Amino acid sequence: MRLLLVEDDRMIGASVQSGLRQEGYSVDWVRDGAAAELAIANGVYELILLDLGLPRKTGLDLLAALRRKGSVLPVLVITARDSVADRVKGLDAGADDYLVKPFNLDELSARIRALLRRQAGRASPVIEHGPLSLNPATHDVFLDGAPVNLSGREFSLLHALLEHPGVPLSRAQLEERIYGWDEEVESNTVEVYIHSLRRKLGAEWIRNVRGVGYRVAELP
Ligand code: CA
């Protein structure tokens, strides 16, 4: 899952980025509102973490512009402004959730998971697809009740495919999901992870869609 972090405070930004990377997210970090707008226009993010007090364009202006364009991207506001009036303003401008600094990284992580599953149209914290289940909070994967041991990138890739089981994702889309800007993408890397997922789950679970990419197998 690829997230955009918009935060001008270097210490907070660095700690949120590294904490969420450890959770398996790919996190791009920009430090002002104008850079955020450019990054969002790339359209590769599943969620935005947005500070409100930002140079060049405020978080509230950014959010309002995003919603005016009809974007349904989940936005979690992280800010030191903690008056009730500010929170109401943020939510009314189109934020989906609100966390006041200083916050706990585990709570941030849990709120991100909640927003992502709502976005995917799920209420259950565990993603189930027939005998296959994946828990984004614990990183557990089970097949027919037996645990499957996946690396971080294998997990991210399977997670991306399972969020929308009917929709094939291209190699480029999968790369975007599992790598941030500053991480070097090795060549053929998606194929390598697909290969190891097939080895661990059984080849039938990950289907090639000719000329498009990959999707998880349909259930009978
Ligand atoms: Ca700030």
mmCIF file of all heavy atoms in Angstrom, residues 2-25:
data_model
loop_
_atom_site.group_PDB
_atom_site.id
_atom_site.type_symbol
_atom_site.label_atom_id
_atom_site.label_comp_id
_atom_site.label_asym_id
_atom_site.label_seq_id
_atom_site.Cartn_x
_atom_site.Cartn_y
_atom_site.Cartn_z
ATOM 1 N N ARG A 2 0.604 2.154 -0.911
ATOM 2 C CA ARG A 2 1.462 3.331 -1.008
ATOM 3 C C ARG A 2 0.749 4.565 -0.450
ATOM 4 O O ARG A 2 -0.374 4.871 -0.843
ATOM 5 C CB ARG A 2 1.831 3.552 -2.464
ATOM 6 C CG ARG A 2 2.909 4.592 -2.622
ATOM 7 C CD ARG A 2 3.600 4.399 -3.919
ATOM 8 N NE ARG A 2 4.522 5.464 -4.198
ATOM 9 C CZ ARG A 2 5.224 5.524 -5.312
ATOM 10 N NH1 ARG A 2 5.090 4.597 -6.230
ATOM 11 N NH2 ARG A 2 6.050 6.516 -5.514
ATOM 12 N N LEU A 3 1.405 5.244 0.472
ATOM 13 C CA LEU A 3 0.818 6.389 1.144
ATOM 14 C C LEU A 3 1.634 7.643 0.858
ATOM 15 O O LEU A 3 2.840 7.565 0.632
ATOM 16 C CB LEU A 3 0.814 6.183 2.666
ATOM 17 C CG LEU A 3 0.389 4.824 3.218
ATOM 18 C CD1 LEU A 3 0.438 4.854 4.739
ATOM 19 C CD2 LEU A 3 -1.020 4.479 2.748
ATOM 20 N N LEU A 4 0.967 8.793 0.893
ATOM 21 C CA LEU A 4 1.674 10.069 0.788
ATOM 22 C C LEU A 4 1.615 10.764 2.147
ATOM 23 O O LEU A 4 0.533 10.948 2.708
ATOM 24 C CB LEU A 4 1.042 10.965 -0.279
ATOM 25 C CG LEU A 4 1.743 12.324 -0.450
ATOM 26 C CD1 LEU A 4 3.133 12.141 -1.065
ATOM 27 C CD2 LEU A 4 0.918 13.272 -1.319
ATOM 28 N N LEU A 5 2.781 11.125 2.648
ATOM 29 C CA LEU A 5 2.873 11.850 3.904
ATOM 30 C C LEU A 5 3.204 13.302 3.587
ATOM 31 O O LEU A 5 4.193 13.592 2.921
ATOM 32 C CB LEU A 5 3.974 11.211 4.759
ATOM 33 C CG LEU A 5 4.445 11.979 5.999
ATOM 34 C CD1 LEU A 5 3.323 12.120 7.025
ATOM 35 C CD2 LEU A 5 5.647 11.259 6.632
ATOM 36 N N VAL A 6 2.347 14.229 4.039
ATOM 37 C CA VAL A 6 2.574 15.655 3.811
ATOM 38 C C VAL A 6 2.826 16.290 5.179
ATOM 39 O O VAL A 6 1.907 16.437 5.993
ATOM 40 C CB VAL A 6 1.352 16.320 3.140
ATOM 41 C CG1 VAL A 6 1.705 17.737 2.699
ATOM 42 C CG2 VAL A 6 0.852 15.497 1.962
ATOM 43 N N GLU A 7 4.072 16.627 5.426
ATOM 44 C CA GLU A 7 4.470 17.084 6.775
ATOM 45 C C GLU A 7 5.732 17.926 6.664
ATOM 46 O O GLU A 7 6.716 17.479 6.082
ATOM 47 C CB GLU A 7 4.716 15.838 7.643
ATOM 48 C CG GLU A 7 5.355 16.096 8.993
ATOM 49 C CD GLU A 7 4.502 16.973 9.890
ATOM 50 O OE1 GLU A 7 3.520 16.451 10.467
ATOM 51 O OE2 GLU A 7 4.796 18.178 9.991
ATOM 52 N N ASP A 8 5.708 19.165 7.197
ATOM 53 C CA ASP A 8 6.910 20.008 7.082
ATOM 54 C C ASP A 8 7.850 19.866 8.280
ATOM 55 O O ASP A 8 8.988 20.308 8.213
ATOM 56 C CB ASP A 8 6.532 21.478 6.869
ATOM 57 C CG ASP A 8 5.709 22.046 8.019
ATOM 58 O OD1 ASP A 8 4.924 21.275 8.615
ATOM 59 O OD2 ASP A 8 5.842 23.232 8.313
ATOM 60 N N ASP A 9 7.407 19.239 9.347
ATOM 61 C CA ASP A 9 8.285 19.034 10.495
ATOM 62 C C ASP A 9 9.174 17.813 10.237
ATOM 63 O O ASP A 9 8.675 16.699 10.060
ATOM 64 C CB ASP A 9 7.430 18.820 11.752
ATOM 65 C CG ASP A 9 8.285 18.674 13.009
ATOM 66 O OD1 ASP A 9 9.062 17.688 13.095
ATOM 67 O OD2 ASP A 9 8.174 19.537 13.883
ATOM 68 N N ARG A 10 10.506 18.059 10.205
ATOM 69 C CA ARG A 10 11.418 16.987 9.809
ATOM 70 C C ARG A 10 11.431 15.823 10.782
ATOM 71 O O ARG A 10 11.500 14.666 10.366
ATOM 72 C CB ARG A 10 12.837 17.523 9.638
ATOM 73 C CG ARG A 10 12.960 18.255 8.342
ATOM 74 C CD ARG A 10 14.286 18.909 8.105
ATOM 75 N NE ARG A 10 14.159 19.713 6.904
ATOM 76 C CZ ARG A 10 14.363 19.238 5.675
ATOM 77 N NH1 ARG A 10 14.723 17.982 5.491
ATOM 78 N NH2 ARG A 10 14.193 20.014 4.629
ATOM 79 N N MET A 11 11.368 16.145 12.077
ATOM 80 C CA MET A 11 11.439 15.045 13.040
ATOM 81 C C MET A 11 10.195 14.172 12.994
ATOM 82 O O MET A 11 10.279 12.953 12.958
ATOM 83 C CB MET A 11 11.646 15.599 14.450
ATOM 84 C CG MET A 11 13.126 15.579 14.771
ATOM 85 S SD MET A 11 13.601 16.070 16.413
ATOM 86 C CE MET A 11 12.318 15.560 17.494
ATOM 87 N N ILE A 12 9.038 14.827 12.961
ATOM 88 C CA ILE A 12 7.786 14.054 12.916
ATOM 89 C C ILE A 12 7.711 13.276 11.603
ATOM 90 O O ILE A 12 7.403 12.085 11.577
ATOM 91 C CB ILE A 12 6.558 14.982 13.066
ATOM 92 C CG1 ILE A 12 6.579 15.635 14.448
ATOM 93 C CG2 ILE A 12 5.257 14.201 12.863
ATOM 94 C CD1 ILE A 12 5.492 16.662 14.661
ATOM 95 N N GLY A 13 8.048 13.975 10.496
ATOM 96 C CA GLY A 13 7.983 13.320 9.183
ATOM 97 C C GLY A 13 8.866 12.086 9.128
ATOM 98 O O GLY A 13 8.438 11.017 8.688
ATOM 99 N N ALA A 14 10.104 12.223 9.614
ATOM 100 C CA ALA A 14 11.038 11.096 9.553
ATOM 101 C C ALA A 14 10.551 9.937 10.416
ATOM 102 O O ALA A 14 10.636 8.771 10.010
ATOM 103 C CB ALA A 14 12.428 11.542 9.995
ATOM 104 N N SER A 15 10.000 10.240 11.587
ATOM 105 C CA SER A 15 9.592 9.139 12.452
ATOM 106 C C SER A 15 8.325 8.458 11.921
ATOM 107 O O SER A 15 8.209 7.234 11.971
ATOM 108 C CB SER A 15 9.455 9.586 13.905
ATOM 109 O OG SER A 15 8.181 10.111 14.143
ATOM 110 N N VAL A 16 7.403 9.242 11.356
ATOM 111 C CA VAL A 16 6.196 8.621 10.782
ATOM 112 C C VAL A 16 6.579 7.767 9.562
ATOM 113 O O VAL A 16 6.131 6.627 9.418
ATOM 114 C CB VAL A 16 5.149 9.692 10.387
ATOM 115 C CG1 VAL A 16 4.026 9.086 9.550
ATOM 116 C CG2 VAL A 16 4.562 10.346 11.632
ATOM 117 N N GLN A 17 7.459 8.320 8.702
ATOM 118 C CA GLN A 17 7.846 7.562 7.509
ATOM 119 C C GLN A 17 8.523 6.241 7.895
ATOM 120 O O GLN A 17 8.160 5.185 7.377
ATOM 121 C CB GLN A 17 8.779 8.382 6.621
ATOM 122 C CG GLN A 17 9.096 7.661 5.324
ATOM 123 C CD GLN A 17 10.025 8.464 4.415
ATOM 124 O OE1 GLN A 17 11.010 9.034 4.870
ATOM 125 N NE2 GLN A 17 9.695 8.506 3.142
ATOM 126 N N SER A 18 9.473 6.298 8.819
ATOM 127 C CA SER A 18 10.180 5.052 9.118
ATOM 128 C C SER A 18 9.275 4.079 9.871
ATOM 129 O O SER A 18 9.315 2.877 9.636
ATOM 130 C CB SER A 18 11.494 5.318 9.850
ATOM 131 O OG SER A 18 11.248 5.549 11.204
ATOM 132 N N GLY A 19 8.408 4.609 10.770
ATOM 133 C CA GLY A 19 7.492 3.730 11.491
ATOM 134 C C GLY A 19 6.531 3.010 10.561
ATOM 135 O O GLY A 19 6.298 1.806 10.687
ATOM 136 N N LEU A 20 5.987 3.754 9.584
ATOM 137 C CA LEU A 20 5.009 3.129 8.679
ATOM 138 C C LEU A 20 5.698 2.186 7.688
ATOM 139 O O LEU A 20 5.109 1.202 7.258
ATOM 140 C CB LEU A 20 4.201 4.195 7.936
ATOM 141 C CG LEU A 20 3.233 4.981 8.823
ATOM 142 C CD1 LEU A 20 2.512 6.045 8.012
ATOM 143 C CD2 LEU A 20 2.221 4.053 9.501
ATOM 144 N N ARG A 21 6.943 2.491 7.339
ATOM 145 C CA ARG A 21 7.685 1.552 6.474
ATOM 146 C C ARG A 21 7.891 0.225 7.177
ATOM 147 O O ARG A 21 7.820 -0.826 6.560
ATOM 148 C CB ARG A 21 9.023 2.150 6.063
ATOM 149 C CG ARG A 21 8.859 3.109 4.916
ATOM 150 C CD ARG A 21 10.170 3.613 4.419
ATOM 151 N NE ARG A 21 9.949 4.409 3.228
ATOM 152 C CZ ARG A 21 10.864 5.197 2.683
ATOM 153 N NH1 ARG A 21 12.065 5.278 3.220
ATOM 154 N NH2 ARG A 21 10.578 5.873 1.603
ATOM 155 N N GLN A 22 8.141 0.307 8.486
ATOM 156 C CA GLN A 22 8.296 -0.944 9.231
ATOM 157 C C GLN A 22 7.000 -1.739 9.244
ATOM 158 O O GLN A 22 7.017 -2.957 9.382
ATOM 159 C CB GLN A 22 8.745 -0.660 10.658
ATOM 160 C CG GLN A 22 10.256 -0.503 10.730
ATOM 161 C CD GLN A 22 10.719 0.023 12.068
ATOM 162 O OE1 GLN A 22 10.014 -0.072 13.066
ATOM 163 N NE2 GLN A 22 11.908 0.586 12.073
ATOM 164 N N GLU A 23 5.881 -1.046 9.107
ATOM 165 C CA GLU A 23 4.586 -1.729 9.049
ATOM 166 C C GLU A 23 4.317 -2.290 7.655
ATOM 167 O O GLU A 23 3.268 -2.880 7.411
ATOM 168 C CB GLU A 23 3.459 -0.748 9.390
ATOM 169 C CG GLU A 23 3.458 -0.282 10.823
ATOM 170 C CD GLU A 23 2.826 -1.303 11.751
ATOM 171 O OE1 GLU A 23 1.727 -1.779 11.436
ATOM 172 O OE2 GLU A 23 3.454 -1.639 12.763
ATOM 173 N N GLY A 24 5.226 -2.041 6.724
ATOM 174 C CA GLY A 24 5.091 -2.610 5.378
ATOM 175 C C GLY A 24 4.487 -1.659 4.355
ATOM 176 O O GLY A 24 4.265 -2.044 3.216
ATOM 177 N N TYR A 25 4.217 -0.401 4.752
ATOM 178 C CA TYR A 25 3.694 0.556 3.778
ATOM 179 C C TYR A 25 4.844 1.164 2.999
ATOM 180 O O TYR A 25 5.957 1.296 3.514
ATOM 181 C CB TYR A 25 2.939 1.704 4.471
ATOM 182 C CG TYR A 25 1.697 1.253 5.176
ATOM 183 C CD1 TYR A 25 1.669 1.128 6.553
ATOM 184 C CD2 TYR A 25 0.552 0.942 4.451
ATOM 185 C CE1 TYR A 25 0.533 0.702 7.209
ATOM 186 C CE2 TYR A 25 -0.587 0.520 5.094
ATOM 187 C CZ TYR A 25 -0.597 0.397 6.477
ATOM 188 O OH TYR A 25 -1.723 -0.028 7.118
#
